[in-house]
Amino acid sequence: MVTQARQNHIQVVAHRGASEDAPEHTLAAYMKAIADGADALECDVRLTADGHLVCVHDRRVNRTSNGRGAVSALELADLTALDFGTWKGREDATESPDWGDPSLTSVLTLERLLELVADSGRRVELAIETKHPTRWAGQVEERLLQLLGRFGLAAPATAEDSSVRVMSFSARSLHRVAAAAPTIPTVYLMQFVSPRLRDGRLPAGARIAGPSIRIVRNHPAYIERLHRAGHRAHVWTVNEPADVELCAGLGVEAIITNRPRQVLSQLGRP
């Protein structure tokens, strides 16, 4: 039985916003996540050809827009002209869904997302995942820290004071962030646990483990090993009630989900 006190300490992170209900990585999805009560917002960032950080998961825009091409080869003006909303639900609908104001489903810059969080009226944290092709090695992290600096978020007094954390599957990316901004927490994302990390260790520069829910299902004892090593566990992407219960029972510190409202409800939080 998971105690209410333990459930209250689990941070609920909206994966690409409230992405089950609204198109991922759009203003609509993040506004919905904030309204639903999410503790934090997760986003992926990529660098455009003209140097803007935009919230797009895939290397190419084909899946989530009516355009084609790699984000890194397109300028912000090119992306702004695309529709990032009507793909959502079109497989099950006879006509394209109407998301209202087109600005809610146009490409979202990280700057605009930071403005949304700043204006939210409550503490909402950000979990920012860096994604970049080799051609932008180092530049994504550099631009990210510059932008966080403009919002006064690049140099928290301590990691506990930070309302932003940087996540990546790349240990090198996290090392760059840790070297330049040592008080910003970093999360090492994992699709599998390499043999050298099975004892709960993390690569240099990483402070928090980000295992997939598949890892947690197959190796639940790994969470205890992480905790023994002094690391927190932020698990992705947790949507099913049984998986939420598993994570809560294991004492993970954060659940990253497409369904923030449902997870909050399951944890007994209004």
Side-chain angles (χ1 to χ4, degrees), residues 94-121:
T94 56
E95 57 184 37
S96 296
D98 180 10
W99 295 103
D101 185 347
S103 69
L104 297 179
T105 53
S106 63
V107 71
L108 180 65
T109 64
L110 180 60
E111 181 176 13
R112 180 67 186 93
L113 181 57
L114 287 166
E115 290 172 349
L116 176 68
V117 169
D119 294 338
S120 66

Side-chain angles (χ1 to χ4, degrees), residues 98-172:
D98 180 10
W99 295 103
D101 185 347
S103 69
L104 297 179
T105 53
S106 63
V107 71
L108 180 65
T109 64
L110 180 60
E111 181 176 13
R112 180 67 186 93
L113 181 57
L114 287 166
E115 290 172 349
L116 176 68
V117 169
D119 294 338
S120 66
R122 65 177 177 89
R123 182 182 173 94
V124 179
E125 297 188 8
L126 270 177
I128 303 171
E129 180 181 345
T130 61
K131 289 185 176 291
H132 42 76
T134 304
R135 64 183 291 195
W136 293 137
Q139 294 185 47
V140 171
E141 293 85 2
E142 181 181 352
R143 297 292 177 88
L144 171 58
L145 293 175
Q146 288 174 353
L147 185 56
L148 292 179
R150 285 174 46 197
F151 283 80
L153 301 171
T158 67
E160 289 70 28
D161 295 323
S162 181
S163 60
V164 173
R165 55 186 175 268
V166 178
M167 310 194 298
S168 184
F169 287 97
S170 166
R172 182 173 296 181

Side-chain angles (χ1 to χ4, degrees), residues 22-263:
E24 66 181 63
H25 282 129
T26 61
L27 200 58
Y30 289 110
M31 291 173 67
K32 179 72 165 60
I34 292 173
D36 286 347
D39 301 306
L41 310 176
E42 185 271 349
C43 67
D44 305 289
V45 293
R46 291 184 178 274
L47 199 60
T48 66
D50 53 343
H52 294 273
L53 286 171
V54 292
C55 301
V56 180
H57 176 271
D58 300 357
R59 186 177 71 85
R60 300 177 64 84
V61 300
N62 303 34
R63 177 179 65 88
T64 56
S65 83
N66 61 344
R68 301 183 66 82
V71 175
S72 62
L74 297 169
E75 296 189 353
L76 182 58
D78 302 320
L79 292 166
T80 301
L82 301 179
D83 168 17
F84 280 82
T86 54
W87 68 271
K88 177 72 171 175
R90 64 187 173 198
E91 297 87 354
D92 304 319
T94 56
E95 57 184 37
S96 296
D98 180 10
W99 295 103
D101 185 347
S103 69
L104 297 179
T105 53
S106 63
V107 71
L108 180 65
T109 64
L110 180 60
E111 181 176 13
R112 180 67 186 93
L113 181 57
L114 287 166
E115 290 172 349
L116 176 68
V117 169
D119 294 338
S120 66
R122 65 177 177 89
R123 182 182 173 94
V124 179
E125 297 188 8
L126 270 177
I128 303 171
E129 180 181 345
T130 61
K131 289 185 176 291
H132 42 76
T134 304
R135 64 183 291 195
W136 293 137
Q139 294 185 47
V140 171
E141 293 85 2
E142 181 181 352
R143 297 292 177 88
L144 171 58
L145 293 175
Q146 288 174 353
L147 185 56
L148 292 179
R150 285 174 46 197
F151 283 80
L153 301 171
T158 67
E160 289 70 28
D161 295 323
S162 181
S163 60
V164 173
R165 55 186 175 268
V166 178
M167 310 194 298
S168 184
F169 287 97
S170 166
R172 182 173 296 181
S173 175
L174 297 181
H175 188 268
R176 293 189 190 108
V177 172
T183 53
I184 290 182
T186 48
V187 184
Y188 182 55
L189 298 172
M190 293 173 280
Q191 291 182 320
F192 62 91
V193 183
S194 69
R196 66 185 182 87
L197 300 178
R198 286 176 184 166
D199 62 356
R201 287 180 295 171
L202 294 176
R207 299 177 178 176
I208 302 168
S212 69
I213 186 59
R214 180 176 297 179
I215 291 174
V216 177
R217 288 192 204 115
N218 294 336
H219 307 284
Y222 178 60
I223 300 300
E224 183 181 353
R225 291 197 292 272
L226 286 169
H227 287 160
R228 281 204 308 265
H231 301 306
R232 288 171 283 169
H234 294 188
V235 183
W236 58 276
T237 303
V238 185
N239 292 324
E240 299 305 321
D243 290 332
V244 173
E245 185 66 22
L246 173 62
C247 288
L250 293 171
V252 308
E253 284 74 20
I255 288 175
I256 303 172
T257 178
N258 298 337
R259 306 169 175 175
R261 180 171 56 83
Q262 292 91 324
V263 172

